[in-house]
């Protein structure tokens, strides 16, 4: 009987696939398996769609994971492409966007920093950039972390003395800033360097970042000697400092093989069915840092399969380099190289080096991957023990999968925000953090009313999802709040009104002496209690509470800063978005506008004489306008 019950949904899945096969073409493309709720179960690509999809109807030849996928399939969707390489790129894009649970998934929600240089400015700016690359600028990267790009920027400033300030700040300067004083900028904002000399610095910086560094040090030495010979000792000293910065830049890389100019070193290590992939970025012959990734996949996936899926998704939103060095072969090696070549616009070479310097750097990356995997497993074990301790402390049947921590932040009720922080088996889940701008109306300082609004907004949505879908993926096991018995009772009443009865509520309070480490805990059907001062579970709960404090305060400060800038300029009659932008571009900030003289305001592009007088009068109420 059990076998028949299992076979029935699988046969239904086969029937759905067979129905889709009736109109499926013999061309290249991407197919999607669709579940009962419309969710995408799996995304695949094929050179010949019909032949590939037909294999899913032969259940006896499929592994159990794919048989389960077939049993949940109710429909299929396809997109045809001209070539299999295009299908591979489209498949990677779909997987990253749709996150189908039967695919190997790259869990990478972070953007990568780049070094950006503006192209159209008379005095180009060099700065850190995150997000989408846009026209009108040149980019170098990516870098593995903010630390790596900041370190490189600091060295670039020492060597090439290019400005890093925004256009608004640059245009508003009347005297050199601190960066000029510490020899990190040539101060083009106030004419300390002419356009031709600055353009020469830009040319040198571009050459260096592009890997064309041969002869650059010799050129600097020659310039220093010429300056000294002409008795321009101050200029010679400046060039000497640039040479020292250049030497520091050349010596700052950990992995920097002479045979690599533009390459990514990618190595995978597997331990107990889990994978870590380590990527080192080499650009222009310089090491831009490394990052570890932990893709989500079935325990029986081979390293080559995981690595191949990783490469296609990893380069979906970033240009691949000329070379990619791997520590193991991947399936469809040539197809992957062709697809990444399309992405780059030039040839991409994928190598698995067996000897020499390239093999050494790949082995180094593999060692890093294995060590990172071992650290993560040790951290996961420690995290699991802490969650088991939390479950035992609060009487849960199992370790909590999701803990939500709530807090508010405001100043006398102004710029009030509530926040939700989320933690679980993987630690803090920052992608699930939420901010709630308090809408009110609320009496200033009424923390209970703020908490009510936050919880109503959060759980009303979750309850709707639960009712519509028969469950909610982000339903918490524990709700943790900062406060004592009063806060606990108020929040408990709010949750009861909403019909949220299957969530454990915990209030944590420092007590009357405000002594961290002697917190009191309030839960249902139990007197308030304390934990031993050195209890690991106590430290863990304190960390959760402190993270919610940090997030609430940073959210409030950001909102307050935005409100301050907005209120000062938006309250001026006749100053709309365009004129506000013109003023900020000219003076850099609302404070700069407030301090500007009438003549400076009248000289601002986009601001006529009448508007300038209105702005000046707004900030100088006693001014008669004469």
């Amino acid at each position: 009987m059990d076998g028949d019950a299992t076979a029935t949904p699988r046969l239904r899945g086969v029937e759905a696939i067979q129905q889709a096969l009736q109109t499926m073409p013999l061309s290249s493309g991407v197919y999607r398996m669709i579940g009962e709720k419309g969710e995408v179960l799996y995304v695949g690509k094929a050179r010949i769609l019909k032949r590939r999809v037909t294999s899913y109807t032969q259940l006896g030849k499929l592994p159990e994971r794919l048989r389960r996928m077939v049993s949940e399939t109710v429909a299929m969707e396809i997109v045809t492409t001209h070539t299999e390489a295009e299908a591979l790129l489209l498949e990677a894009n779909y997987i990253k966007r749709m996150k189908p649970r039967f695919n190997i998934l790259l869990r990478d929600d972070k953007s990568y920093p780049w070094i950006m240089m503006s192209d159209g400015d008379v005095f180009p700016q060099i700065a850190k950039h995150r997000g989408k690359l846009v026209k009108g600028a040149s980019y170098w990267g990516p870098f593995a972390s903010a630390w790596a790009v900041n370190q490189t920027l600091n060295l670039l400033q020492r060597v090439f003395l290019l400005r890093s300030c925004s256009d608004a700040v640059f245009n508003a300067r009347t005297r050199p800033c601190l960066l000029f004083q510490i020899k990190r900028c040539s101060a083009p904002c106030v004419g300390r360097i002419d356009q031709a000399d600055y353009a020469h610095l830009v040319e040198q910086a571009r050459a260096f970042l592009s890997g064309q560094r041969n002869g650059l040090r010799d050129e600097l030495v020659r310039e220093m000697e010429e300056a000294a010979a002409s008795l321009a000792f101050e200029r010679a000293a400046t060039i000497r400092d640039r040479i020292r910065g250049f030497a520091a830049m050349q010596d700052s890389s950990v992995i920097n093989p002479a045979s690599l100019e533009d390459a990514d070193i990618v190595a995978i290590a597997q331990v107990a069915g889990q994978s870590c992939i380590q990527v080192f970025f080499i650009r222009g012959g310089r090491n831009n840092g490394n990052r570890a990734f932990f893709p989500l996949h079935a325990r029986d996936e081979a390293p080559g399969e995981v690595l191949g899926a990783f490469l296609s998704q990893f380069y979906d939103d970033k240009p691949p380099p000329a070379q990619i060095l791997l520590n193991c072969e991947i399936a469809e090696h040539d197809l992957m190289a062709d697809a990444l070549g399309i992405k780059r616009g030039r040839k991409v070479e994928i190598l698995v080096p067996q000897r020499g310097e390239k093999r050494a750097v790949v082995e180094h990356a593999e060692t890093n991957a294995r060590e990172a995997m071992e650290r993560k497993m040790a951290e996961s074990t420690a995290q699991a023990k802490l969650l088991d301790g939390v479950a035992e402390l609060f009487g849960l049947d199992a370790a909590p999968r999701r803990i939500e921590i709530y807090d508010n932040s405001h100043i006398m009720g102004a710029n009030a925000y509530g926040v939700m922080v989320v933690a679980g088996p993987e630690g803090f889940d920052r992608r699930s953090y939420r901010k709630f701008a308090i809408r009110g109306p609320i009496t200033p300082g009424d923390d209970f009313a703020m908490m009510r609004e936050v919880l109503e907004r959060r759980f009303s949505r979750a309850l709707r999802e639960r009712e519509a879908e028969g469950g909610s993926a982000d339903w918490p096991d524990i709700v943790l709040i900062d406060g004592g018995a009063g806060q606990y009772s108020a929040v408990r009443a709010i949750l009861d009104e909403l019909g949220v009865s299957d969530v454990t509520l915990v209030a944590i309070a420092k007590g009357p002496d405000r002594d961290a480490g002697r917190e009191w805990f309030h839960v249902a059907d139990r007197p308030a209690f304390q934990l031993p001062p050195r209890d690991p579970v106590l430290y863990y709960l304190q960390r959760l509470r402190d993270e919610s404090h940090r997030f609430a305060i940073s959210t409030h400060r950001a909102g307050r800063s935005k409100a301050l800038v907005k209120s000062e300029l938006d309250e001026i009659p006749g100053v709309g978005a365009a004129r506000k932008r013109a003023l900020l571009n000219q003076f850099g900030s609302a404070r700069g506008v407030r301090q500007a003289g009438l003549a400076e305001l009248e000289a601002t592009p986009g601001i006529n004489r009448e508007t300038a007088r209105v702005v000046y009068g707004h900030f100088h109420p006693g001014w008669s306008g004469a």
Side-chain angles (χ1 to χ4, degrees):
M1 183 66 71
D2 290 342
D4 293 340
T6 304
T8 301
R10 287 181 178 171
L11 290 176
R12 283 201 301 266
V14 171
E15 290 173 359
I17 295 171
Q18 288 174 335
Q19 184 176 358
L21 283 168
Q22 294 177 11
T23 57
M24 194 164 292
L26 293 169
S27 60
S28 300
V30 173
Y31 58 91
R32 286 174 283 175
M33 305 288 198
I34 308 299
E36 190 172 6
K37 298 176 182 177
E39 75 278 18
V40 178
L41 301 172
Y42 182 80
V43 175
K45 62 98 182 72
R47 184 171 62 87
I48 302 176
L49 277 169
K50 193 163 190 174
R51 183 182 302 172
R52 178 71 183 92
V53 173
T54 299
S55 66
Y56 291 107
T57 64
Q58 302 168 5
L59 293 177
K61 297 181 180 180
L62 298 177
E64 177 57 32
R65 181 176 65 90
L66 295 184
R67 288 200 292 268
R68 191 167 69 252
M69 178 191 73
V70 169
S71 72
E72 297 183 26
T73 300
V74 299
M76 289 193 67
E77 297 175 354
I78 66 164
V79 177
T80 59
T81 60
H82 294 97
T83 66
E84 190 179 6
E86 290 179 1
L88 177 61
L89 295 174
L90 183 60
E91 175 197 40
N93 181 266
Y94 280 171
I95 291 172
K96 285 198 74 172
R97 286 197 294 111
M98 300 174 181
K99 296 180 171 54
R101 57 190 173 90
F102 286 97
N103 282 96
I104 297 170
L105 298 179
L106 166 61
R107 296 182 290 183
D108 177 29
D109 62 330
K110 299 178 180 177
S111 62
Y112 292 80
W114 296 70
I115 287 177
M116 178 273 294
M117 186 184 294
S118 56
D119 289 338
D121 295 334
V122 175
F123 295 102
Q125 169 203 21
I126 190 167
K128 178 173 65 177
H129 175 85
R130 277 189 186 271
K132 186 177 180 181
L133 308 187
V134 297
K135 293 182 179 179
S138 300
Y139 298 90
W140 292 270
F143 288 78
S145 64
W147 179 88
V149 75
N150 288 338
Q151 182 192 44
T152 302
L153 272 176
N154 287 335
L155 292 171
L156 286 170
Q157 287 176 323
R158 287 176 60 187
V159 177
F160 301 109
L161 307 177
L162 302 182
R163 73 176 180 98
S164 58
C165 57
S166 67
D167 290 344
V169 172
F170 178 82
N171 293 328
R173 295 300 306 181
T174 57
R175 59 181 180 178
C177 67
L178 178 63
L179 289 177
F180 175 76
Q181 307 297 335
I182 62 174
K183 300 180 181 179
R184 296 289 180 90
C185 181
S186 52
C189 54
V190 292
R192 295 300 179 95
I193 185 173
D194 61 31
Q195 185 176 342
D197 287 342
Y198 192 88
H200 182 56
L201 294 177
V202 169
E203 183 182 352
Q204 289 180 329
R206 287 181 178 275
F208 180 86
L209 287 167
S210 301
Q212 304 167 20
R213 64 192 64 185
N214 292 336
L216 180 56
R217 186 180 186 280
D218 293 339
E219 181 182 346
L220 291 174
V221 170
R222 186 171 60 256
E223 289 181 11
M224 180 180 68
E225 291 174 346
E226 289 174 356
S230 60
L231 304 182
F233 297 117
E234 185 175 348
R235 172 173 167 77
T238 299
I239 299 174
R240 178 203 62 200
D241 293 338
R242 293 179 60 197
I243 293 171
R244 289 174 178 173
F246 183 74
M249 183 177 289
Q250 288 188 307
D251 296 340
S252 62
S253 295
V254 178
I255 291 185
N256 197 9
S259 58
L260 294 180
E261 277 295 318
D262 288 290
D264 284 343
I265 304 163
V266 187
I268 184 172
Q270 286 192 327
V271 179
Q274 300 182 56
S275 299
C276 174
I277 296 176
Q278 191 79 219
V279 182
F280 282 81
F281 302 95
I282 307 295
R283 296 294 185 275
R286 176 176 169 76
N287 181 10
N288 283 355
N290 62 294
R291 182 179 287 188
F293 301 86
F294 301 91
L296 185 64
H297 60 83
R299 299 181 69 86
D300 58 351
E301 295 282 4
E305 293 290 333
V306 177
L307 197 55
F310 170 85
L311 291 178
S312 63
Q313 295 176 49
F314 182 70
Y315 293 111
D316 174 62
D317 57 356
K318 61 183 71 66
Q323 282 189 335
I324 301 174
L325 307 186
L326 309 178
N327 69 327
C328 70
E329 286 288 354
I330 59 172
E332 302 178 312
H333 177 282
D334 294 339
L335 175 63
M336 183 67 70
D338 290 343
L340 295 182
I342 293 174
K343 188 80 177 174
R344 182 171 184 255
R346 285 178 287 174
K347 180 180 178 181
V348 172
E349 191 177 19
I350 300 178
L351 303 174
V352 184
Q354 301 300 316
R355 63 185 64 86
E357 185 182 48
K358 292 180 178 177
R359 180 61 193 173
V361 296
V362 167
E363 288 177 347
H364 179 80
E366 184 176 346
T367 299
N368 275 262
R370 184 172 295 106
E371 291 174 350
M373 187 74 254
E374 291 170 353
R375 285 194 301 271
K376 181 175 176 62
M377 293 184 71
E379 291 169 1
S380 297
T381 300
Q383 184 78 0
K385 289 181 179 179
L386 287 172
L387 292 175
D388 286 339
V390 170
E392 182 179 356
L393 178 65
F394 298 126
L396 276 64
D397 295 332
R401 301 291 302 173
R402 182 182 174 98
I403 302 174
E404 293 182 358
I405 311 97
Y406 292 86
D407 198 8
N408 299 325
S409 184
H410 61 92
I411 294 180
M412 298 298 293
N415 306 119
Y417 285 87
V419 299
M420 178 184 77
V421 165
V422 180
E426 300 295 327
F428 288 111
D429 181 7
R430 288 178 171 80
R431 290 173 297 178
S432 298
Y433 285 19
R434 294 293 180 268
K435 306 172 184 177
F436 302 87
I438 302 300
R439 299 167 182 165
I442 289 173
T443 303
D446 189 347
D447 288 339
F448 289 152
M450 294 179 193
M451 185 62 71
R452 171 180 288 276
E453 180 178 324
V454 169
L455 293 173
E456 285 179 347
R457 287 164 60 182
R458 188 271 180 267
F459 280 100
S460 293
R461 178 186 59 80
L463 287 166
R464 287 195 299 270
E465 291 178 357
R466 219 182 194 191
E467 184 176 347
E469 303 176 7
S472 178
D474 60 356
W475 193 261
D477 299 296
I478 293 176
V479 166
L480 180 66
I481 62 169
D482 183 28
Q487 284 84 355
Y488 175 88
S489 299
V491 172
R492 183 71 269 170
I494 295 169
L495 295 178
D496 289 343
E497 287 178 24
L498 293 170
V500 178
S501 58
D502 56 346
V503 171
T504 298
L505 175 63
V506 179
I508 176 173
K510 288 184 178 179
D513 53 0
R514 310 297 295 170
D515 183 12
R518 300 300 299 158
E519 280 84 353
W520 288 87
F521 292 90
H522 301 265
V523 296
D525 303 323
R526 183 176 176 183
F529 63 92
Q530 293 178 299
L531 293 176
R534 298 183 183 275
D535 192 322
V537 174
L538 172 62
Y539 288 146
Y540 177 65
L541 295 170
Q542 288 173 337
R543 199 159 76 247
L544 298 184
R545 187 264 319 277
D546 293 344
E547 172 66 3
S548 71
H549 282 347
R550 181 204 64 78
F551 188 50
I553 291 170
S554 62
T555 300
H556 165 72
R557 285 175 176 168
R560 186 179 63 191
S561 298
K562 183 177 179 181
L564 286 174
V565 172
K566 180 179 178 181
S567 62
E568 283 200 282
L569 296 185
D570 287 5
E571 292 176 1
I572 305 175
V575 175
R579 286 172 174 168
K580 176 184 174 184
R581 184 163 54 250
L583 289 167
L584 290 175
N585 286 341
Q586 180 72 9
F587 299 103
S589 66
R591 181 182 180 184
V593 177
R594 186 171 64 247
Q595 295 176 344
L598 179 58
E600 293 176 296
L601 291 169
E602 291 177 346
T604 302
I607 302 296
N608 58 34
R609 184 172 183 270
E610 181 181 350
T611 302
R613 293 169 70 82
V614 170
V615 172
Y616 188 80
H618 177 81
F619 290 114
H620 301 81
W623 180 64
S624 63

